[in-house]
Amino acid sequence: MTIRQSHVVNIYDDSLIYKGLSQAYGINSMWNFINSFNNTQETIQTYLSKQRIPPTMPPQLTEVDTLTIHAIVNDEIDQISPSPHPSIKHAQSFLGAPLTPLPASAQPGGAKLQMRMDTLCCGAHGLSLLITVSKDGKEHTLLFDTGPEEAVWERNARRLGLDVAKVERIVLSHWHRDHSGGLLGAVRMVEGAKAATATSEEKGKVVVDLHPERPDFRGIRAHEIIALEADPSFSEIEDAGAEVFKSAEAHTVLDDMFLVSGEIPRRTAYEGGIRGGVRFSEKKGWETDELIMDERLVMCNLKGKGLVVFTGCSHAGVVNVSRHAMELGGGVPLYTVVGGYHLADGAPEKLQKSLEDLKALEPKVLMPGHCTGWRFKVAIEKEMPGCMAPIFGGTKYELI
């Protein structure tokens, strides 16, 4: 495998490790080191094991008592099906839908409530999850991604009747428009709600947690390069009313109840990112960008269950995501992986290998959504019957 600069920096971004490696090979330049290392027979992992260089200690994650998820945006909706897993609670048969009181003059046969279609959430290509956790009675709320466009996020948040003033932090999993498109609208709506209704503890600016390496544009190289819409800029996010926080390192937030990863190590041979992925900058023009190295995960440690891992698209690969979460979790077992697994267009061999390796990690429940694709969901249910509880837009999930 060709080792690139991003692989080295993201997996082992410790100056002592680099110093040890460079001294061992007589290399002073990082670029020369990378090019030279591609011609050696040892892997970085082999060298590190020989030198017994200790890994950087991950930040400590506090165990939480409760965890709920509102799926504000997802590709699919399903207000009817019951939960297929006993530990995942959600309404069924439209019983979670908002009901509108009818005036006394318009109550057919005495019916006082009406379920209106304009109160139901709509599906859209993207993901946005509102996650609320508590410990010892204290709650924290984090918004993970914001879907593809402002109108979708704002409409669904209103239809769900969410108290968005409680949102303390917004984490963007990666720079792709189907995850960032609703960001500015979400910030304005959260800040407006805080100004109007929040308590003194809630009135601080919402923090938007971002990877610092924002591309000017991303795109796909098909028969020609197709550009995607630009993500909101740092200045646009600040102008909308948020405080911008940039980090490529793992860190805990909100009383250590959430952990936001740094860049996710790419270790499997079959999880290669987006074929044809490119990024644009004014300085360099269009460049290959298949690995999407700015992608990050968020996770919690749910009492009595284990790690609840949130992934936007799993461009790093759902297995790489899950394994890295377990490394950061310091021995806490994997409970579930929530979000996009990005296997909708995967080759059959990739789906099979992903399923085998994911199953080996022994999750108790899998909660795929967004870009996972129906084929992988079918494969999960066939290979791990009773393990899957897919997520749908407009639904509240309680992990019990």
Side-chain angles (χ1 to χ4, degrees):
M1 180 187 75
T2 299
I3 300 171
R4 306 183 190 280
Q5 182 187 31
S6 57
H7 293 153
V8 179
V9 172
N10 294 320
I11 300 175
Y12 306 108
D13 63 348
D14 184 295
S15 59
L16 293 178
I17 294 176
Y18 167 62
K19 182 178 180 181
L21 289 167
S22 60
Q23 287 178 348
Y25 288 94
I27 302 164
N28 294 319
S29 161
M30 174 64 88
W31 283 109
N32 289 338
F33 157 64
I34 295 165
N35 292 330
S36 173
F37 207 88
N38 285 330
N39 297 321
T40 70
Q41 297 300 310
E42 294 184 63
T43 64
I44 291 180
Q45 290 91 335
T46 301
Y47 177 80
L48 290 174
S49 65
K50 288 181 179 180
Q51 299 301 311
R52 293 183 173 85
I53 299 174
T56 301
M57 291 299 293
Q60 297 300 302
L61 187 60
T62 294
E63 188 179 67
V64 298
D65 299 327
T66 66
L67 191 153
T68 62
I69 306 163
H70 281 92
I72 301 176
V73 180
N74 187 62
D75 297 44
E76 301 170 281
I77 60 170
D78 182 351
Q79 297 279 344
I80 304 174
S81 297
S83 172
H85 197 284
S87 295
I88 308 298
K89 178 182 176 182
H90 67 76
Q92 67 181 76
S93 304
F94 287 111
L95 293 180
L99 298 176
T100 303
L102 290 171
S105 60
Q107 296 179 355
K112 297 179 180 179
L113 297 173
Q114 183 179 64
M115 184 181 71
R116 297 176 56 88
M117 293 296 105
D118 60 6
T119 65
L120 300 179
C121 290
C122 297
H125 179 79
L127 186 71
S128 181
L129 305 175
L130 187 72
I131 310 159
T132 299
V133 297
S134 71
K135 181 176 178 62
D136 299 330
K138 184 174 183 179
E139 283 191 353
H140 284 300
T141 298
L142 178 147
L143 179 63
F144 182 66
D145 288 346
T146 61
E149 56 178 306
E150 295 179 27
V152 169
W153 194 91
E154 294 170 5
R155 178 184 60 210
N156 284 0
R158 286 193 177 96
R159 291 183 176 185
L160 283 166
L162 299 176
D163 182 1
V164 296
K166 292 184 177 180
V167 176
E168 300 162 85
R169 199 174 194 94
I170 301 174
V171 176
L172 184 66
S173 62
H174 63 296
W175 294 107
H176 261 157
R177 187 71 183 194
D178 52 333
H179 298 260
S180 70
L183 182 54
L184 299 182
V187 168
R188 287 191 290 265
M189 192 167 168
V190 168
E191 287 301 301
K194 286 181 181 292
T197 64
T199 65
S200 58
E201 291 183 355
E202 297 170 335
K203 282 189 180 294
K205 280 188 175 184
V206 67
V207 176
V208 179
D209 194 321
L210 304 161
H211 192 285
E213 294 185 12
R214 174 192 175 275
D216 293 338
F217 289 90
R218 275 200 155 118
I220 296 293
R221 192 187 303 275
H223 57 284
E224 59 181 310
I225 291 177
I226 301 171
L228 303 178
E229 295 173 85
D231 298 288
S233 67
F234 298 122
S235 60
E236 286 175 328
I237 297 167
E238 289 176 332
D239 290 345
E243 175 185 336
V244 169
F245 175 86
K246 304 175 189 177
S247 178
E249 308 297 330
H251 54 284
T252 56
V253 300
L254 304 180
D255 291 328
D256 301 327
M257 296 189 199
F258 294 88
L259 186 147
V260 184
S261 80
E263 295 168 1
I264 301 166
R266 313 306 169 92
R267 290 171 178 153
T268 60
Y270 57 88
E271 294 177 307
I274 300 179
R275 176 179 289 185
V278 290
R279 64 189 287 153
F280 176 83
S281 68
E282 293 292 343
K283 291 183 179 180
K284 299 181 179 179
W286 287 104
E287 298 179 288
T288 297
D289 184 29
E290 297 186 339
L291 295 180
I292 318 295
M293 290 305 301
D294 52 283
E295 185 177 35
R296 305 174 299 163
L297 63 89
V298 168
M299 68 184 199
C300 302
N301 179 7
L302 181 58
K303 184 177 181 179
K305 303 292 185 180
L307 299 178
V308 179
V309 180
F310 298 93
T311 177
C313 261
S314 299
H315 293 304
V318 67
V319 174
N320 281 330
V321 167
S322 302
R323 288 176 175 172
H324 187 50
M326 294 176 74
E327 292 169 357
L328 293 173
V332 178
L334 178 67
Y335 182 64
T336 187
V337 183
V338 187
Y341 296 6
H342 207 83
L343 290 166
D345 60 352
E349 297 78 14
K350 180 178 181 179
L351 269 63
Q352 181 60 36
K353 187 61 177 170
S354 297
L355 184 58
E356 291 173 359
D357 288 350
L358 194 55
K359 183 179 180 180
L361 300 179
E362 300 183 341
K364 297 301 182 288
V365 58
L366 293 174
M367 302 180 70
H370 182 34
C371 53
T372 302
W374 66 267
R375 291 180 303 149
F376 196 67
K377 293 178 187 176
V378 170
I380 292 172
E381 186 59 30
K382 181 178 179 181
E383 183 67 24
M384 305 168 69
C387 183
M388 184 175 64
I391 58 172
F392 297 99
T395 302
K396 175 185 177 181
Y397 299 89
E398 297 179 62
L399 278 59
I400 59 175

